[in-house]
Amino acid sequence: SVMNEDMAALKAYVQGPSTQNKSDETVLMYITHSNLKTKFSEIRFDRHMTIDSVKTKLMSVCGSSSSAMHLILLDCNGRQVADMYENQRMLGFYSPEDGFTIHVVDLDPHSLSKGGGLEDISLVQKYEISEEDYEKREDSYRKYKERMLAADPNWTLQTEMKRRKDPSYMPPEKITDTEHMADLAANI
């Protein structure tokens, strides 16, 4: 449709030439996953890779086991182009183009990604320490800060970080005169 052509033209204009330093033997594709909200963008694949090799490469991207992956090729509009179930076929057999999407369907009922396991941080049990136990530690930030302030009452973490980047850094002098800008304020 005209709308899709306009969107494709806009996308091409915004992204610029995506074929720079790219071989005709490779294709840049998006990756989506049945259990993840994240859309992984522009991952390069060689058209001569077997589907099994594509799955192996995708293991590090989406966390699913290659044996539990079912791959579906989608065009730029999200329509299914191919069901890539034959592991020994080459990716190029399915005629992928730049901007197509490989949708990974995770078939593992015990997958870590299921139910937001790899994205929802509220599911992660946080480490907690009691105030008493934290006070006993010698390697805490609190103890470090106490030592630094004992050595220099004007010490701040921001100043420390700036000095680590530039050992000659000197913080600006503190303004002690509360009326130092009274004359400028009076003219407003």
Side-chain angles (χ1 to χ4, degrees), residues 72-83:
I72 300 171
L73 183 64
L74 307 173
D75 68 12
C76 294
N77 296 314
R79 290 186 302 256
Q80 183 172 332
V81 173
D83 192 351

Side-chain angles (χ1 to χ4, degrees), residues 3-16:
M3 179 71 156
N4 289 337
E5 290 173 17
D6 289 345
M7 289 304 291
L10 178 62
K11 180 180 175 183
Y13 174 77
V14 170
Q15 289 182 336

Side-chain angles (χ1 to χ4, degrees), residues 3 15 18 26 33 40 42 52 77 89-90 97 104 111 130 132 138 156 161 172:
M3 179 71 156
Q15 289 182 336
S18 65
T26 62
H33 190 281
F40 303 96
E42 292 204 336
D52 196 43
N77 296 314
R89 288 242 187 234
M90 301 289 177
E97 296 179 19
V104 178
S111 174
S130 70
E132 293 170 354
E138 288 299 319
T156 65
M161 298 309 290

Side-chain angles (χ1 to χ4, degrees), residues 118-176:
L118 297 178
E119 292 179 313
D120 185 355
I121 61 170
S122 71
L123 299 174
V124 178
Q125 185 177 359
K126 291 5 173 229
Y127 174 76
E128 295 182 16
I129 186 171
S130 70
E131 193 65 32
E132 293 170 354
D133 289 340
Y134 187 75
E135 275 301 321
K136 291 177 187 174
R137 297 183 68 124
E138 288 299 319
D139 62 346
S140 69
Y141 173 72
R142 190 177 298 160
K143 295 284 172 102
Y144 171 75
K145 183 178 175 181
E146 288 171 5
R147 287 192 304 273
M148 298 306 285
L149 286 170
D152 177 6
N154 295 319
W155 180 89
T156 65
L157 181 60
Q158 291 82 3
T159 301
E160 179 73 19
M161 298 309 290
K162 288 180 181 177
R163 281 193 180 135
R164 287 183 183 191
K165 283 186 177 179
D166 178 9
S168 64
Y169 173 78
M170 293 300 296
E173 290 186 35
K174 290 195 177 194
I175 299 169
T176 54

